[in-house]
Amino acid sequence: MTTTFRVAAASLSAASLVLAGCSSSTTDDAPTTGSADGAITGEITVFAAASLKATFTELGSQFEAAHPGTTVTFTFAGSSDLVTQLTQGAPGDVFASADTANMTKAVDAGLIAGEPTNFATNTLTIVTPPDNPAGITSFADLATPGAKVVVCAPQVPCGSATAKLESATGVDITPVSEESAVTDVLGKVVAGEADAGLVYVTDASGAGDSVETVAFPESAQAVNTYPVAVLGESRNAAAARAFEDLLTGPEGRAVLEKAGFAAP
């Protein structure tokens, strides 16, 4: 009887350990890092600059199709706002910035795993309503008294680029508003709330006939480089790295080029 009891007890103990192991692997606190056979699975959250919304949405669909069982969730905003969210503890797996300055802030804050990778560049252009009510034809025209011009706030990458252009050209723009994301600048022009706005060429291209685009040569003096990195607190580092690989690989390059982004 004693021997039988010990064996049964040992069996129950082993079964309890197995059940405990199964239970711990399915708790909400366990990271999702891929299946046992190396397939990419699970969810990732990507924090990305507002100017990347269209391209990243397309790439997210491509990623999910290539890796069944994955889900990509995006948070789009101005790069400086994204860094603030991440430093305040917002959970995420990938960060893509519209400039190197905000990525450097993320690196300095200890948010990044490994080294960021530059994947695209972008430049500014002028957009106006289709009828161009203020007759804007050059960068200097943005300083015309009475012209209602909208730009990005200085801490946002598109705002920093605007400031560089003003300094380089001596043109002093007095905007009617400074927005926290380039998409907000575009939205005000499309809505007819501004005579002109400074946005990225990719945003102007995506807006189609809803705006008139006024290119200006001075824009070459303020080119923004876009870096991407996996976040150190990622709960699904394998999938995060796979998304970064898609973005920096030929498929990602094709989507970005189609939208008007130049190579880094």
Side-chain angles (χ1 to χ4, degrees), residues 4-225:
T4 302
F5 176 79
R6 285 176 178 172
V7 171
S11 299
L12 287 171
S13 178
S16 298
L17 288 171
V18 170
L19 288 172
C22 291
S23 175
S24 65
S25 67
T26 56
T27 61
D28 290 340
D29 292 334
T32 305
T33 58
S35 65
D37 62 1
I40 300 299
T41 61
E43 301 179 4
I44 58 170
T45 298
V46 178
F47 283 69
S51 54
L52 294 166
K53 185 173 184 178
T55 51
F56 270 39
T57 300
E58 181 176 347
L59 287 170
S61 297
Q62 288 189 15
F63 185 84
E64 292 174 349
H67 304 287
T70 58
T71 301
V72 183
T73 301
F74 293 101
T75 296
F76 296 106
S79 297
S80 58
D81 287 343
L82 295 176
V83 173
T84 298
Q85 292 178 43
L86 291 169
T87 54
Q88 291 177 348
D93 302 283
V94 178
F95 174 45
S97 174
D99 67 350
T100 55
N102 280 289
M103 181 61 76
T104 298
K105 291 178 183 178
V107 171
D108 291 345
L111 298 172
I112 303 304
E115 292 292 326
T117 301
N118 296 333
F119 66 92
T121 58
N122 213 348
T123 54
L124 294 179
T125 192
I126 299 166
V127 289
T128 73
D131 60 347
N132 195 353
I136 303 296
T137 61
S138 69
F139 184 73
D141 286 345
L142 296 177
T144 301
K148 294 183 293 183
V149 179
V150 180
V151 301
C152 291
Q155 70 271 19
V156 183
C158 56
S160 176
T162 298
K164 289 179 183 177
L165 289 173
E166 289 182 277
S167 177
T169 62
V171 174
D172 186 15
I173 302 171
T174 304
V176 294
S177 70
E178 295 180 338
E179 304 300 322
S180 61
V182 67
T183 48
D184 295 333
V185 174
L186 181 64
K188 289 208 166 186
V189 176
V190 170
E193 298 175 14
D195 296 326
L198 278 168
V199 302
Y200 294 118
V201 294
T202 51
D203 296 288
S205 176
D209 294 336
S210 61
V211 295
E212 181 73 22
T213 299
V214 180
F216 58 98
E218 297 93 335
S219 64
Q221 300 180 59
V223 178
N224 277 19
T225 297

